[in-house]
Amino acid sequence: MERLNKYLASTGAASRRSADKLISQGRVRVNGKTVTELGVSVNEKNDTVMVDDIIVRPVSDYSYLMFYKPKGCITTASDEKGRKTIYDYLSDLNIPHLISVGRLDYDTEGMLLLTNDGELAHKLTHPSFEVPKTYSVKVKGEMPEHKLAQLRKGVLVDGELTKRCKVKLLEYKDGESKLNITITEGKNRQVRKMFEAVEREVIFLKRIAVGELRLGGLSRGGYRYLNEDEIYYLKRI
Ligand code: URA
């Protein structure tokens, strides 16, 4: 048996101190029953603990990875066309049921998060989850101010207006513009289609950040385990 607040801290759902607050606020259920008294103990093997309707388990039960997807591979387990998949890069890890949180298309590179924690993966891929994702983009041609303003305000993608986003022009060199764009949605090929809407072709696309998590110095095809702070951050957002 383990104290409920300690158990909650071990899941990354809260720090030890904020766990007591979650309990007092009536946001924690044990085996379906809301628990508001502090000092309750749980059996980590047999009891099901939920915070805000999400089952939480000790972080050590699961694996959380950041992977630098190279371009030229797909984000699914198998492909009818026999193309390379992200799992070809991760096969020696031998982690069962590792799923990617969202997708990057074949020609896009950059940060993918992977986990076998189904609850967290589900939460992070849900359309209502609007964590900002930042991409480094190169397009052919210049990006005048009015096109930047259009992108920021919203453009039509698949018949729908995109949400407000951040766009920063970094440089224009040798006929190409380099930008960073931060969007909170994840429509299929969204960034490419947004630039298409302002008549610009994307020639390079790389996801460099998801929320506060940054790709940093990972090399293409490389991966690393997330640390406890990063897992705690993902669970909290
Ligand atoms: N936008 C795209 O166009 N492609 C991706 O893979 C991700 C965002």
Side-chain angles (χ1 to χ4, degrees), residues 206-219:
K206 172 178 171 184
R207 181 148 79 192
I208 55 174
V210 173
E212 287 174 9
L213 305 189
R214 305 197 69 82
L215 191 56
L218 266 187
S219 54

Side-chain angles (χ1 to χ4, degrees), residues 21 64 88 107 111 150 155 164 166 218 227 236:
K21 210 163 143 199
Y64 303 87
D88 292 329
D107 290 320
M111 188 201 295
Q150 265 178 290
V155 290
R164 277 188 174 278
K166 289 188 186 148
L218 266 187
N227 62 39
R236 221 174 59 222

Side-chain angles (χ1 to χ4, degrees), residues 16 25 49 51 54 69 82-83 87 117 126 128 131 134 143 145 155-156 168 181 186 191 194-195 199 206 209 232 236:
R16 191 77 83 83
Q25 288 168 338
V49 178
V51 176
I54 293 175
K69 175 198 176 296
R83 290 175 296 183
Y87 295 98
D117 176 348
H126 197 270
S128 65
V131 70
T134 302
M143 280 300 293
E145 190 51 45
V155 290
L156 275 182
K168 190 169 177 199
I181 179 166
V191 175
M194 286 176 75
F195 280 91
E199 294 159 335
K206 172 178 171 184
Y232 178 45
R236 221 174 59 222

Side-chain angles (χ1 to χ4, degrees), residues 103-105 108 135 183 187-193 205 207:
R103 293 177 178 201
L104 291 176
D105 58 51
T108 301
Y135 296 84
I183 58 173
K187 295 184 204 297
N188 184 29
R189 299 177 72 81
Q190 174 148 349
V191 175
R192 292 175 195 278
K193 287 177 181 172
L205 184 56
R207 181 148 79 192

